[in-house]
């Protein structure tokens, strides 16, 4: 476990870890998460192992710009872009047809959950990496979601490869994101508010 306190050094260190196919514990625009390069299937497998999570429950992916959605999703409903640009609170959107991603981040029905982040640290991290990152809550599956750094179980700290300094925490909402699911016809429903 590596802990560092300088913003640019922390971002660079986290990116280096992600490029090596390793995992990080980091603050997001919602809660602390376990993450990795979402395009690296072996790294994604490691996140599943840390969480003791069933592989049929796909994670949320984070990107830094809505235009990057077109790299990973077929047929984005225009209302999805409007939603991303109009809501203040973090919203993760499930799109029906994923592409250019490993199977273990895509749900059994071919969908993928993606959130465009506005969080300073996450945006810089994703931008430097140049790829989406996995974001899943920093807990063992079935246990309570930790809302703060101090709530994270020791086992999570022990199993990730890099811990971002808690000084990087700039959460806008200390709760999971709203989740909206689109179907192939472009209709949507709110899964979690």
């Amino acid at each position: 476990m590596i802990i560092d306190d300088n913003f640019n050094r922390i971002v660079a260190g986290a990116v280096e870890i992600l490029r090596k196919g390793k995992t990080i514990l980091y603050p997001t625009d919602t809660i602390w998460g376990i993450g990795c390069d979402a395009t690296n299937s072996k790294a994604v497998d490691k996140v599943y192992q840390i969480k003791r999570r069933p592989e049929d429950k796909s994670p949320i992916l984070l990107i830094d710009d809505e235009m990057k959605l077109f790299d990973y999703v077929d047929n984005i409903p225009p209302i999805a872009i409007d939603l991303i640009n109009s809501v203040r609170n973090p919203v993760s959107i499930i799109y029906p047809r994923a592409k250019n991603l490993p199977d273990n981040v895509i749900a059994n029905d071919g969908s993928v959950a993606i959130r465009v982040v506005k969080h300073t640290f996450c945006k810089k991290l994703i931008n430097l990496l140049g790829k989406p990152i996995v974001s899943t809550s920093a807990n063992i599956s079935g246990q309570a979601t930790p809302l703060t750094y101090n709530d994270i179980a020791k086992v999570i700290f022990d199993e990730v490869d890099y811990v971002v300094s808690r000084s990087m925490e700039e959460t806008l909402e200390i709760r999971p994101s709203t989740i909206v699911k689109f179907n192939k016809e472009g209709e949507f429903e709110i899964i979690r508010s």
Side-chain angles (χ1 to χ4, degrees):
M1 170 175 48
I2 303 165
I3 300 178
D4 202 342
D5 284 318
N6 175 278
F7 184 85
N8 289 324
R9 195 171 56 229
I10 291 169
V11 172
V15 168
E16 183 180 334
I17 294 293
L18 293 170
R19 286 186 177 144
K20 291 178 179 176
K22 296 184 177 190
T23 59
I24 63 171
L25 176 64
Y26 68 109
T28 73
D29 50 347
T30 57
I31 57 178
W32 280 80
I34 302 170
C36 69
D37 172 356
T39 66
N40 183 324
S41 63
K42 288 182 181 176
V44 174
D45 283 341
K46 183 166 183 192
V47 170
Y48 282 122
Q49 290 168 7
I50 292 168
K51 281 193 63 84
R52 281 77 163 164
R53 181 179 186 149
E55 290 185 21
D56 63 347
K57 190 175 179 195
S58 56
I60 293 172
L61 309 186
L62 303 182
I63 58 175
D64 62 329
D65 184 297
E66 68 268 10
M67 296 312 294
K68 292 182 180 173
L69 283 170
F70 295 93
D71 294 335
Y72 306 106
V73 177
D74 267 336
N75 193 20
I76 301 163
I79 194 169
I81 301 295
D82 292 342
L83 185 62
I84 291 165
N85 290 323
S86 66
V87 296
R88 181 188 167 283
N89 296 329
V91 61
S92 301
I93 299 177
I94 301 172
Y95 299 92
R97 291 188 287 256
K99 65 180 183 179
N100 303 324
L101 292 165
D103 290 341
N104 58 354
V105 297
I106 300 172
N108 291 336
D109 66 358
S111 66
V112 63
I114 300 177
R115 184 165 73 247
V116 179
V117 294
K118 297 173 183 164
H119 184 261
T120 305
F121 176 78
C122 287
K123 280 184 79 77
K124 183 153 187 163
L125 179 71
I126 297 162
N127 184 269
L128 282 176
L129 181 64
K131 299 175 184 179
I133 58 175
V134 164
S135 178
T136 184
S137 57
N139 62 303
I140 302 298
S141 288
Q143 295 182 0
T145 299
L147 298 181
T148 67
Y149 183 90
N150 291 332
D151 296 332
I152 300 168
K154 183 181 182 305
V155 66
I156 300 295
F157 288 98
D158 292 343
E159 294 190 20
V160 296
D161 298 301
Y162 183 90
V163 177
V164 172
S165 169
R166 66 187 300 175
S167 67
M168 294 299 105
E169 185 171 17
E170 300 171 23
T171 53
L172 303 175
E173 294 287 323
I174 302 181
R175 64 186 187 115
S177 64
T178 297
I179 298 179
V180 175
K181 183 174 185 174
F182 279 87
N183 64 24
K184 292 178 182 175
E185 289 74 39
E187 300 164 334
F188 69 90
E189 64 177 311
I190 297 173
I191 304 294
R192 180 177 72 197
S193 59

